[in-house]
Amino acid sequence: MKPQMNEDKHGLKSDFMERLLDGVAVEWKPLGEVAELKRGKTITAKTKTAGDIPVISGGQSPAYYNAEFNRDGETITVAGSGAYAGFVMYWNEPIFVSDAFSVKPDLAVLSTRYVFHSLLNNQAWIHNLQKGSGVPHVYPKDLAQLQIPIPCPDNPEKSLKIQTEIVRILDTFTELTAELTAELTAELTARKKQYTYYRDQLLTFKERQAVWKSLGDVGEVRMCKRILKEQTSDIGDIPFYKIGTFGKKPDAYISKELFNEYKSKYNYPKIGEVLISASGTIGRAVIFDGRDAYFQDSNIVWIENAESEVLNKYLFYFYKIAKWDIAEGGTIQRLYNDNLKKTKIPIPPLEEQARIVSILDKFDALTTSITEGLPREIKLRQKQYEYYRNMLLTFPVAEACQ
């Protein structure tokens, strides 16, 4: 028997479950006793035939499409191998189960959607079934041991009615999450288009509105002192950003002593100056916030700028639309210092720069808040769904079935 779940602080959990169950008993049975777990038939991109039937393999989405199907109607699939081995999906259309297996419950006892939500409630447990020293696998015989709660097992009609109500509630949360995701994604797309439009308009100048100069006239190109690989470690005091981690999470560090020495002896950015990626993704810009950090020489550079003629924040927005003269031919694209210095920039009066920056800051804040808010809101809804799923699928011990 599964352990009971404690009441929440409002006492709503037990009240709701009591009304839903109406005093019925709950029996836990191994999945293998109440459902058929059936392996798929392996096909590959070479052996498939052209068609629109989803082929379910080891991933979170169809591997490809086929002309034939081997499962129809409501079907639960579990990825059999690979990084997502154990990942549970629900289908209500013809599919071809390949490197996966299907779960078909006994419909006289269990609702397919009810079993699907039950498996999702145990997704972490299913992932832990993975075996194999190389490619991980999840096997039907192991999943068959999972205990599935069956309310009122002696009265199938009433049992299915209770299951249907649980499914209705959980499906509602799933639909609300999908709707919210679609709305926020559409809002974000619209705001990004609006931001791009106004940015391009604000940074496009007619004659006599701005003076065109090269970045080399604004200031010198600077970079940090070279850091050798043996001077870095996986843990440490000061983050060391390489081109692969620039603007992201660092994976290398240098000592505080080395940082203090190099910072005092060699070039180091001032707060507000704009760091630029000069290889890989050319022109990615990050405003230096002053926190202790060190940056890979030649790959991450900046224009030393006293802001007497150009605001650093104006440079930051200009870099987003700049047409860089990138050196071709090597394995990695590169923006050399001479090419960076030759890049032309329109320079309006400082007052106009400040106005442009103020407008773009507002758009940037809006798109950032939506960008950050999108996963936060989705996560919040997902947690809400998981909370109710856990509540609705964790049954109290009751007396006999009515």
Side-chain angles (χ1 to χ4, degrees):
M1 181 70 69
K2 285 264 188 174
Q4 293 187 59
M5 193 172 185
N6 294 329
E7 289 187 11
D8 63 15
K9 62 183 179 180
H10 302 295
L12 297 176
K13 188 176 300 182
S14 60
D15 290 347
F16 179 82
M17 291 304 291
E18 284 176 9
R19 290 197 302 271
L20 180 64
L21 294 175
D22 193 24
V24 303
V26 176
E27 183 178 4
W28 296 78
K29 286 192 175 183
L31 180 63
E33 290 186 12
V34 290
E36 177 191 39
L37 282 69
K38 185 177 179 181
R39 290 177 181 274
K41 180 181 178 182
T42 301
I43 62 170
T44 67
K46 292 182 178 179
T47 59
K48 71 179 181 64
T49 52
D52 58 0
I53 303 298
V55 175
I56 312 307
S57 191
Q60 291 183 301
S61 57
Y64 23 79
Y65 294 85
N66 191 45
E68 299 177 350
F69 61 87
N70 58 10
R71 304 287 191 278
D72 197 3
E74 283 191 298
T75 308
I76 300 167
T77 59
V78 180
S81 65
Y84 295 104
F87 185 78
V88 177
M89 291 189 286
Y90 168 88
W91 303 88
N92 196 9
E93 60 180 296
I95 60 173
F96 192 99
V97 180
S98 178
D99 188 14
F101 57 91
S102 60
V103 179
K104 281 275 194 179
D106 179 355
L107 297 181
V109 178
L110 287 168
S111 151
T112 302
R113 286 292 291 180
Y114 175 80
V115 173
F116 171 66
H117 286 294
S118 296
L119 293 180
L120 288 184
N121 203 41
N122 289 278
Q123 182 68 87
W125 183 86
I126 298 171
H127 280 310
N128 286 335
L129 294 175
Q130 291 182 0
K131 296 178 179 178
S133 56
V135 177
H137 285 73
V138 169
Y139 298 100
K141 64 181 178 61
D142 295 322
L143 182 58
Q145 305 306 312
L146 178 67
Q147 298 289 310
I148 298 293
I150 304 175
C152 198
D154 297 331
N155 187 338
E157 183 179 353
K158 186 167 186 176
S159 178
L160 290 171
K161 185 176 180 181
I162 293 171
Q163 293 175 42
T164 299
E165 178 60 14
I166 291 172
V167 167
R168 185 191 67 79
I169 295 169
L170 295 180
D171 281 352
T172 298
F173 278 108
T174 303
E175 291 168 7
L176 288 174
T177 300
E179 289 174 6
L180 177 67
T181 301
E183 288 174 7
L184 289 175
T185 301
E187 177 72 9
L188 177 60
T189 301
R191 289 293 172 261
K192 281 184 174 180
K193 285 183 178 179
Q194 191 178 34
Y195 166 74
T196 300
Y197 171 80
Y198 280 105
R199 182 192 65 200
D200 293 350
Q201 290 294 311
L202 288 166
L203 295 174
T204 301
F205 298 92
K206 297 178 181 178
E207 288 185 42
R208 294 189 296 276
Q209 287 183 324
V211 176
W212 285 81
K213 290 188 176 183
S214 60
L215 284 174
D217 293 328
V218 174
E220 290 295 324
V221 178
R222 301 297 188 193
M223 67 184 72
C224 289
K225 173 71 173 175
R226 173 163 294 183
I227 295 292
L228 302 177
K229 185 176 181 180
E230 55 265 27
Q231 293 174 301
T232 69
S233 61
D234 294 337
I235 58 174
D237 303 315
I238 307 299
F240 175 59
Y241 291 96
K242 298 169 287 187
I243 194 60
T245 57
F246 179 53
K248 304 174 185 177
K249 185 177 180 180
D251 61 5
Y253 298 83
I254 61 174
S255 68
K256 185 78 170 177
E257 293 75 19
L258 182 64
F259 170 72
N260 288 334
E261 178 188 352
Y262 279 19
K263 182 181 178 183
S264 63
K265 289 183 178 179
Y266 307 107
N267 294 319
Y268 192 75
K270 298 190 295 290
I271 295 176
E273 287 185 326
V274 186
L275 301 164
I276 314 166
S277 59
S279 68
T281 304
I282 303 296
R284 185 193 306 137
V286 173
I287 299 173
F288 182 55
D289 59 10
R291 286 184 287 185
D292 288 349
Y294 216 66
F295 305 92
Q296 189 176 36
D297 67 295
S298 76
N299 284 333
I300 301 171
V301 301
W302 68 92
I303 298 292
E304 191 173 61
N305 179 30
E307 294 193 286
S308 58
E309 190 175 11
V310 183
L311 299 176
N312 281 321
K313 200 66 180 290
Y314 178 82
L315 282 178
F316 171 74
Y317 285 117
F318 170 76
Y319 290 159
K320 293 180 180 293
I321 65 165
K323 292 179 172 56
W324 305 107
D325 185 7
I326 300 171
E328 302 285 353
T331 55
I332 300 177
Q333 290 186 325
R334 179 166 293 281
L335 177 61
Y336 289 105
N337 288 356
D338 285 346
N339 292 343
L340 176 61
K341 289 161 65 174
K342 292 175 183 176
T343 302
K344 294 291 186 179
I345 175 173
I347 304 177
L350 286 170
E351 296 80 4
E352 178 62 10
Q353 292 180 42
R355 186 185 76 85
I356 291 170
V357 165
S358 176
I359 294 171
L360 294 180
D361 276 350
K362 290 183 175 65
F363 276 108
D364 190 58
L366 180 60
T367 54
T368 298
S369 67
I370 296 174
T371 303
E372 293 176 351
L374 178 60
R376 185 168 58 244
E377 286 295 327
I378 293 172
K379 188 174 182 179
L380 179 64
R381 293 298 177 271
Q382 182 64 24
K383 283 188 173 182
Q384 193 175 34
Y385 160 74
E386 290 172 359
Y387 168 82
Y388 281 101
R389 183 183 67 198
N390 196 27
M391 181 188 82
L392 291 167
L393 296 173
T394 304
F395 294 94
V397 178
E399 298 176 2
C401 181
Q402 301 292 312

